[in-house]
Amino acid sequence: MYVSDTASQHIPFLDLVTPHTELEAELTSVFRRALLTASFVGGPMVAEFESAFAAFCGVSHAVAVASGTDALRFAIVAAGVQPGDVVLTVPHTFIATAEAISQAGATPEFVDIDDGTFNMSVERLEYYLEQRCTRDRTGRLVSLRSGGPVTAVVPVHLYGQMADMDSILRVAGKFGLIVIEDACQAHGAEYFSQALNRWMKAGSMGHAAAFSFYPGKNLGACGEGGAVTTNDDRLADQARLLRDHGQVKKYYHDAVGYNGRMDAIQAGILLAKLPHLQDWNARRRHRAAEYRRLLAGVDAVRLPHEPSWSRAVYHLYVIRTAHRESVMSHLKSAGIDTALHYPIPLHLQRAYADLNYSRGDFPVSERVSAEIISLPMFPQLTAEQQARVAAEMEVFLSKAPRKETESEVALLATATRTA
Ligand SMILES: Cc1ncc(COP(=O)(O)O)c(C=O)c1O
C-alpha cells in the first residue's frame, strides 16, 4: 500500500474554506441583500428558507430558529413535555441533547446505545420502559429512578445515520410517549420504514425534530442556526411562538417565550447552500465507501455499520480501535487531523453529576467513547488524502500489539450490559 513521503502535507479534519469560496458570489450577495433591505431578523429570506427546508425534509413545517439547541428545546416544549417530566435519551451524544431536556424543566434519563450503529438501542429502551418504570395510581408511566412521569423520548441520529425509527415509534406508541428526533447531525439522512413501505428523511418521522446549522454541519450556516420540523400544525405554531417571546402579534404575548429567531443573513446563506446538500451528501457517502474499501483489511479497526434500512450521510466517519490514543497521535505526527465525538458519555459528565449515575451504568456507551476516532470527512476530501489516512493507519496498526478482537469486544459489551 502507498505511504506518502510527505508527512508534512496537512490533512484537515474538516475543510470549511473551500465550500465557501466555491459559492462566494452567491453568499456575498446574501449579505448585500440584507444590507440593502435592512431586513436582519425574520423576513422573506427566513420564510423562503423555511419552505425550502420543509420540502427537502418532506414535512409540512420547518420553523427556523437561532440554534440546534433552541430547536430541540422548542420542539420538546411545543410537543407538550412539562416541567418535572422524564425524557429518555442516550448518553452517547453531544451534551445539547440533554441540555435541551433540562432547559425544558424535564429530567433526562438515559438508555444505552446499540453497539453496531451507536444509536439508541431499541432493546434497552423497551427494557427500561418495561422494567425500570411503573404505573402510578393514576395510571401514569413513572420512572422508578426519579419518580417523574415519563412522557417523551429523544433518539439521536448520530454521525448522520438515523436511529431505528420504526421500532422506536412502535415502542413509544405502546407507552404513549412523544418522539422528538435529534436530527442535528443528519440533514438528508434516510431510513427505510417498513411500516410506511418507503424511504423517509430525517426529521419527518417523529412528532417533531430538531436540526442544527452550526457551520461544520452537512448544511451549515456562517454562524448559528437551527430548525424545528414537524407535520403537526399546532406544534409548529407553538414553536413559532416560543422562538419570538411568545408573541402572536407585535407586543401581544400569549406565552413566556425566548429570543430564538434566525438571522435573515443565515437563512439566506442556508437557502443558497440547500440546493448543494444532496450532492455534498452523495460525496460524503462516496468517501465513506472509499474508507470502507481502503480499511477493509485493517483488522484492528472496526468500521461504521450501516444497516440495509439506512442511507447515512456521514456527518462524521467514526471508526473504533482498541489503540485509540496511539493511532490518533501517530496520525497527528503524520499531519492528519482527527477528532473525538465524544470522549465522555453524558452520565459521567460533571454537569450531570446530580443525576447520580455511575461508571458501568451504560457499558456500550462507555466502551464506544473510549475507542472511537473521527477521521477526516468532508465532501471535498480527495482520494489521495484518504489513501494517505488509510495507509498511515495500516502501517501503524500492523505493528501494534493486538488487544481484543472484534468479537471479544462485542462479547464484553454484551456481558457487561446492565442498564
Ligand atoms: C447531536 C446534536 N444535538 C444538538 C446539537 C446542538 O446544536 P447547536 O450547536 O446548533 O445548538 C448538536 C450540535 O452540535 C448536535 O450535534
Side-chain angles (χ1 to χ4, degrees):
M1 198 183 224
Y2 143 98
V3 182
S4 167
D5 52 357
T6 51
S8 59
Q9 276 174 14
H10 176 231
I11 302 179
F13 176 66
L14 171 65
D15 174 8
L16 273 185
V17 174
T18 308
H20 291 104
T21 50
E22 281 171 1
L23 299 179
E24 191 174 342
E26 273 180 84
L27 298 180
T28 49
S29 79
V30 170
F31 284 89
R32 230 173 292 120
R33 183 173 164 193
L35 294 179
L36 295 178
T37 57
S39 175
F40 296 117
V41 180
M45 286 204 281
V46 173
E48 263 181 76
F49 172 65
E50 289 182 329
S51 320
F53 193 64
F56 176 84
C57 295
V59 292
S60 32
H61 305 278
V63 180
V65 298
S67 70
T69 311
D70 274 356
L72 267 173
R73 173 159 29 94
F74 299 161
I76 289 166
V77 174
V81 169
Q82 299 295 316
D85 285 0
V86 167
V87 177
L88 305 180
T89 192
V90 287
H92 183 61
T93 177
F94 182 55
I95 193 167
T97 312
E99 279 177 325
I101 296 169
S102 304
Q103 289 162 4
T107 303
E109 289 189 14
F110 300 118
V111 293
D112 213 345
I113 56 169
D114 177 77
D115 190 58
T117 63
F118 305 143
N119 282 329
M120 180 176 276
S121 157
V122 179
E123 187 191 298
R124 300 321 296 164
L125 175 66
E126 204 157 18
Y127 173 84
Y128 198 82
L129 291 164
E130 279 168 3
Q131 306 296 326
R132 296 281 181 259
C133 298
T134 187
R135 298 276 171 192
D136 70 5
R137 258 182 278 136
T138 62
R140 287 185 321 175
L141 183 74
V142 293
S143 155
L144 290 171
R145 164 166 244 285
S146 63
V150 182
T151 56
V153 56
V154 181
V156 182
H157 303 325
L158 202 69
Y159 307 150
Q161 171 153 274
M162 286 180 71
D164 182 1
M165 287 303 292
D166 271 357
S167 308
I168 289 171
L169 288 168
R170 175 185 52 77
V171 173
K174 195 161 111 188
F175 290 89
L177 304 182
I178 296 161
V179 179
I180 306 292
E181 298 169 63
D182 181 339
C184 285
Q185 301 188 0
H187 321 66
E190 291 179 294
Y191 173 88
F192 189 82
S193 168
Q194 295 279 357
L196 301 169
N197 196 29
R198 64 190 166 101
W199 287 93
M200 299 292 291
K201 284 261 178 73
S204 69
M205 295 192 73
H207 295 97
F211 287 87
S212 164
F213 304 119
Y214 188 73
K217 296 293 197 271
N218 290 27
L219 179 64
C222 293
E224 305 278 354
V228 175
T229 55
T230 184
N231 285 314
D232 180 328
D233 299 348
R234 193 207 56 82
L235 198 156
D237 283 345
Q238 207 55 32
R240 284 188 197 103
L241 209 67
L242 287 167
R243 75 171 167 186
D244 193 20
H245 300 289
Q247 290 193 120
V248 272
K249 62 179 182 176
K250 206 160 178 70
Y251 305 131
Y252 288 77
H253 307 270
D254 277 12
V256 176
Y258 300 85
N259 177 354
R261 298 165 303 225
M262 178 179 273
D263 281 359
I265 289 173
Q266 301 309 337
I269 282 165
L270 292 165
L271 199 52
K273 286 183 172 185
L274 186 57
H276 302 274
L277 180 56
Q278 209 174 335
D279 171 54
W280 289 334
N281 282 345
R283 284 155 77 179
R284 285 175 184 270
R285 284 183 60 74
H286 181 68
R287 290 291 137 224
E290 191 62 4
Y291 268 137
R292 178 162 299 284
R293 187 183 70 76
L294 289 165
L295 294 169
V298 185
D299 286 347
V301 163
R302 191 162 156 189
L303 302 175
H305 173 55
E306 190 175 329
S308 57
W309 43 258
S310 168
R311 281 189 201 137
V313 291
Y314 293 94
H315 171 56
L316 297 168
Y317 191 85
V318 179
I319 56 147
R320 270 174 88 168
T321 172
H323 308 280
R324 197 256 299 284
E325 312 308 329
S326 55
V327 169
M328 282 182 89
S329 77
H330 173 76
L331 292 177
K332 190 172 184 324
S333 67
I336 298 165
D337 292 346
T338 56
L340 276 185
H341 300 89
Y342 299 92
I344 303 178
L346 299 187
H347 68 291
L348 301 177
Q349 294 280 359
R350 250 189 256 153
Y352 278 118
D354 62 350
L355 293 179
N356 289 317
Y357 284 108
S358 310
R359 191 169 290 281
D361 283 347
F362 303 102
V364 183
S365 293
E366 289 170 28
R367 179 106 195 166
V368 163
S369 67
E371 295 185 345
I372 43 177
I373 308 176
S374 307
L375 298 182
M377 169 53 83
F378 47 92
Q380 297 78 14
L381 186 69
T382 66
E384 292 70 30
Q385 286 175 318
Q386 277 196 295
R388 194 153 78 78
V389 174
E392 292 292 354
M393 287 185 61
E394 182 165 12
V395 165
F396 179 76
L397 284 168
S398 66
K399 291 187 228 133
R402 267 185 85 79
K403 283 198 182 167
E404 295 102 2
T405 63
E406 196 175 300
S407 54
E408 283 165 337
V409 169
L411 263 180
L412 194 70
T414 319
T416 51
R417 252 180 218 167
T418 53

